[in-house]
Amino acid sequence: MPDLLPGFDGDVRAVLVEERVAELAKAVESAGDALFVPESSVAFGAPYRHPRLIWGIGLNYVDHAADLSEQVPDEPASFIKGDHTVIGPGEEIPIPPQSSRTTAEAELGLVIGRYCRDVSEADALDHVFGVTTVLDQTAEDILERNPRFLTRSKNFPGFFSFGPQIVPLAEVGDLASVEVSTVLDGGVHRSNTVSRMRYSPQFLVSFHSAVMPLYPGDIISTGTPGAVHIRPGTVAECRIPGVGVLTNPVVQG
């Protein structure tokens, strides 16, 4: 890959941070077929392992909140996850020994493409490079004991999977019509479209950019249409047509 773009070692976040996306796209377009292998022969990992920041959003789909007999909050219910939670496609989600009920939640992830601070909702998506599939895990039994335990319940290793692709926003089309599905063992547990979010992707970017700066490679995981209880031996999936399929097996940690 260094032959394709000098200084590029495969770290997608570095390409975003260094603002070399256009340069990489041009290099790919002009490269000969001999530099590439069939996609089917490649095992994909997470696009990068160390996002500077992961914002998660809870209860953002109106229907999901109703399922839980909860109201959508008047402002986004957000939390931060550490990069130690990151795994990629096909890697195992370990159920922590502290939890007897862990859930997986399929979500649409927004990947920030350029510095973003106090942006308007109208301009927010100009700062998003693309979208990706996410599986966000929660130790739900820990969270239910006390809502102040949210950070702990969300931050066990393996509790944030994303990839295999980041699809540029320009290739996605109408973001509001994108459908997100939480899948367990091949069966769709719950699906919904971005249009059913209480807080749209552009609102989430604008809102959180007013809290703190957002930088290239930061991720906003926009909420799930439905969480599913996972157990060792099951397989969780996030399916988003036009974006990708993310699959992770579940094991006892």
Side-chain angles (χ1 to χ4, degrees):
M1 192 63 74
D3 291 335
L4 183 63
L5 183 64
F8 174 55
D9 61 2
D11 189 331
V12 176
R13 180 175 177 269
V15 173
L16 294 173
V17 170
E18 296 169 12
E19 299 183 349
R20 303 187 71 186
V21 173
E23 184 183 354
L24 178 59
K26 185 177 179 179
V28 169
E29 187 176 337
S30 61
D33 292 342
L35 278 178
F36 300 96
V37 297
E39 184 175 328
S40 59
S41 69
V42 177
F44 288 92
Y48 44 94
R49 294 283 172 172
H50 299 289
R52 190 196 67 91
L53 184 70
I54 301 170
W55 273 111
I57 312 299
L59 298 174
N60 195 27
Y61 283 87
V62 176
D63 306 300
H64 181 221
D67 289 343
L68 300 175
S69 300
E70 296 195 42
Q71 294 183 341
V72 176
D74 292 335
E75 297 179 6
S78 52
F79 52 90
I80 290 175
K81 305 188 78 153
D83 63 4
H84 66 279
T85 64
V86 171
I87 57 175
E91 294 182 56
E92 295 173 338
I93 298 170
I95 303 294
Q98 298 95 325
S99 176
S100 61
R101 190 171 68 259
T102 295
T103 61
E105 300 143 30
E107 307 196 9
L108 177 74
L110 307 175
V111 178
I112 300 300
R114 60 191 181 96
Y115 177 82
C116 181
R117 176 66 170 158
D118 288 323
V119 299
S120 68
E121 192 172 342
D123 295 333
L125 293 184
D126 293 340
H127 298 263
V128 175
F129 169 71
V131 298
T132 189
T133 43
V134 169
L135 282 169
D136 177 38
Q137 281 63 253
T138 309
E140 193 173 70
D141 50 338
I142 293 175
L143 177 60
E144 285 184 349
R145 293 205 297 266
N146 190 317
R148 294 190 179 188
F149 297 165
L150 177 61
T151 296
R152 172 155 49 107
S153 72
K154 286 286 191 179
N155 271 281
F156 290 97
F159 268 31
F160 188 85
S161 181
F162 81 111
Q165 301 179 69
I166 300 174
V167 178
L169 202 57
E171 298 178 13
V172 175
D174 179 19
L175 194 56
S177 66
V178 168
E179 183 179 59
V180 181
S181 297
T182 301
V183 178
L184 185 68
D185 292 335
V188 175
H189 172 70
R190 186 59 56 85
S191 295
N192 217 328
T193 60
V194 170
S195 64
R196 291 292 294 164
M197 289 180 177
R198 170 64 178 86
Y199 300 108
S200 69
Q202 50 267 45
F203 180 89
L204 293 173
V205 173
S206 175
F207 180 89
H208 289 90
S209 78
V211 176
M212 64 177 67
L214 302 176
Y215 290 88
D218 288 357
I219 301 169
I220 299 178
S221 197
T222 57
T224 186
V228 64
H229 183 194
I230 54 176
R231 301 173 176 85
T234 58
V235 178
E237 283 186 25
C238 173
R239 294 181 187 171
I240 306 178
V243 178
V245 176
L246 171 63
T247 303
N248 292 96
V250 182
V251 299
Q252 183 61 51

